[in-house]
Amino acid sequence: MPRPPRCRRICGAPRVDTFRPNGCEDTEPILLTLDEYEVIRLVDLEQQTHERCAAQMDISRSTVQEIYESARRKIAVCLVHGKPLHITGGNYRICGGQEPAHCGRCCRMQRAKMENQAKIAKEIPL
């Protein structure tokens, strides 16, 4: 019996979740999961290694590589065949700044913002 998959840690949902080329109104979209989105964001945009990405997402390096290959294949299909891309679903949990410090810069910034807001709330008399 296979072991259940680990829930992948992501820093947050994307601000934009749908990309659609002009002239493809009735084409079935390609679905990119949020964990695939996060791997693309960390490896390609943040230029992290697969090992560092794995540590941040709390999964193995080989899982990062599998997710990365799947995500790149889906993005290639969208670009080459002019299909829409929709980012949704997947096996993930959103960190929201509540995870250990190695979760990433955006989570540390979010945690600092929450701590600053709590500090301000304590200082304001009612």
Side-chain angles (χ1 to χ4, degrees):
M1 178 180 208
R3 133 182 117 109
R6 287 184 81 159
C7 201
R8 290 112 189 224
R9 178 174 49 206
I10 66 170
C11 287
R15 287 185 228 154
V16 178
D17 65 359
T18 304
F19 298 89
R20 183 177 306 273
N22 291 333
C24 69
E25 287 75 30
D26 57 347
T27 306
E28 187 69 27
I30 300 296
L31 301 178
L32 186 74
T33 62
L34 271 90
D35 46 335
E36 290 172 328
Y37 164 83
E38 184 74 353
V39 168
I40 291 291
R41 185 183 73 80
L42 293 173
V43 173
D44 290 337
L45 184 63
E46 299 288 328
Q47 296 182 334
Q48 291 186 14
T49 64
H50 286 204
E51 290 175 29
R52 196 161 164 214
C53 177
Q56 182 168 328
M57 292 182 69
D58 197 23
I59 55 177
S60 71
R61 188 205 51 78
S62 60
T63 301
V64 166
Q65 187 169 350
E66 291 171 11
I67 294 170
Y68 184 65
E69 289 173 5
S70 172
R72 289 190 58 171
R73 218 173 5 261
K74 289 178 181 181
I75 292 169
V77 167
C78 291
L79 292 174
V80 172
H81 299 294
K83 292 185 176 259
L85 179 72
H86 186 66
I87 304 169
T88 186
N91 183 17
Y92 67 93
R93 70 181 188 275
I94 295 181
C95 173
Q98 304 303 313
E99 301 276 341
H102 75 275
C103 182
R105 181 179 64 219
C106 60
C107 288
R108 284 194 298 274
M109 289 178 3
Q110 188 172 3
R111 184 181 313 133
K113 182 179 176 183
M114 290 183 340
E115 289 171 358
N116 191 27
Q117 288 173 343
K119 181 180 172 185
I120 291 170
K122 286 181 183 179
E123 294 173 355
I124 297 174
L126 296 175

